[in-house]
């Protein structure tokens, strides 16, 4: 909420505040469109077959990466100097737990050795705060839990090297093709969390590389007992507030949302190294 407040409310007259509320209400009722970024076949081998990562032994919000206060690390400074905005955690609205800052991710390694803060392009950050506001109106008590945001291209290469030549390659953007929207600060991975910061059940953990994480045939997944109706409802609520804020979901990952198309990002911004 902090950036949102700074940019839209502080020091403005009451009339502007009222106007802002009306705009927010309208945007909370807006609609987005599903854009599919991946089109490959849905039949995949579980990722642990490739990486040894065992989803059953880790919780989605296990080892807590500490967000350093004060000085920025070299990577954080680079992202800030590239013009990205930090998503400041706020216990009542947005939680940040960068999964790649812990070894509890599909690579089994700490990929973010000095990145503890979530960064996004300013326009994507504004959209995220709008989504958080939409969620607060829709379901007070729930909050957004950020798993990943801006991702340096060097990390993208590490990820790609693990999945290239495997069936999981479809879940990671190829750096040789310019990477993906995380590399521009234009994509965010997230879930919903309850008042105790516990993630809501979504049918699969984050970065589950398989059909159960796809969003295009979820009714079948429920009918086949592969995810529950409650898990689907949670996904639908996440998608609803993210779409209302202008994000577009990814067909193959319930947790991933794009703030723009790759073409738009490449035309207007540079990927972060
Ligand atoms: C690795 C996964 N969390 C992810 O972010 N995939 C997208 C498609 C990417 O690599 O850009
Ligand atoms: Zn993602």
């Amino acid at each position: 909420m902090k950036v949102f407040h700074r940019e839209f409310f502080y020091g403005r007259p009451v009339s502007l505040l009222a106007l802002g509320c009306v705009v927010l209400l309208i945007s909370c009722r807006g609609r987005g469109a599903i854009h599919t970024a991946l089109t490959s076949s849905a039949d995949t081998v579980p990722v642990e077959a490739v990486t040894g990562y065992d989803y059953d032994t880790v919780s989605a919000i296990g080892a807590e990466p500490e967000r350093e206060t004060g000085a920025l690390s070299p990577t954080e400074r680079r992202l800030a100097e590239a013009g990205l905005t930090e998503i400041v955690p706020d216990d009542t609205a947005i939680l940040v737990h960068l999964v790649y800052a812990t070894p509890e991710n599909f690579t089994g390694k700490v990929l973010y050795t000095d990145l503890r803060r979530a960064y996004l392009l300013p326009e994507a950050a504004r959209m995220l705060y709008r989504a958080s506001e939409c969620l607060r109106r829709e379901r007070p008590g729930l909050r957004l839990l950020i798993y990943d945001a801006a991702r340096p291209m060097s990390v993208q290469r590490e990820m790609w090297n693990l999945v290239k030549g495997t069936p999981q390659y479809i879940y990671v953007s190829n750096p040789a093709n310019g990477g993906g929207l995380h590399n521009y600060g234009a994509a965010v991975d997230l879930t919903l969390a309850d008042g105790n910061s516990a993630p809501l059940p979504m049918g699969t953990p984050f970065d589950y590389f398989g059909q159960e994480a796809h969003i295009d045939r979820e009714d079948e997944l429920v009918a086949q007992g592969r995810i529950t109706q409650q898990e689907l409802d949670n996904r639908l609520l996440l998608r609803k507030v993210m779409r209302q804020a202008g994000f577009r979901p990814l067909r193959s990952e319930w947790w991933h949302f794009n703030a723009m198309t790759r073409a738009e990002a490449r035309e207007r911004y540079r990927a972060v190294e």
Side-chain angles (χ1 to χ4, degrees), residues 44-51 55 168 208-210:
T44 57
V45 177
V47 73
E48 51 265 41
V50 178
T51 65
Y55 287 108
Q168 282 73 40
Y208 180 88
F209 294 166

Side-chain angles (χ1 to χ4, degrees), residues 100 106 151 156 171-173 180 182 189 206-207 209 250 253:
Y100 302 124
F106 79 94
R151 179 189 306 156
Q156 192 70 32
Y171 295 98
V172 178
S173 299
H182 282 290
D189 293 337
F206 170 65
D207 269 356
F209 294 166
L250 190 63
E253 301 176 2

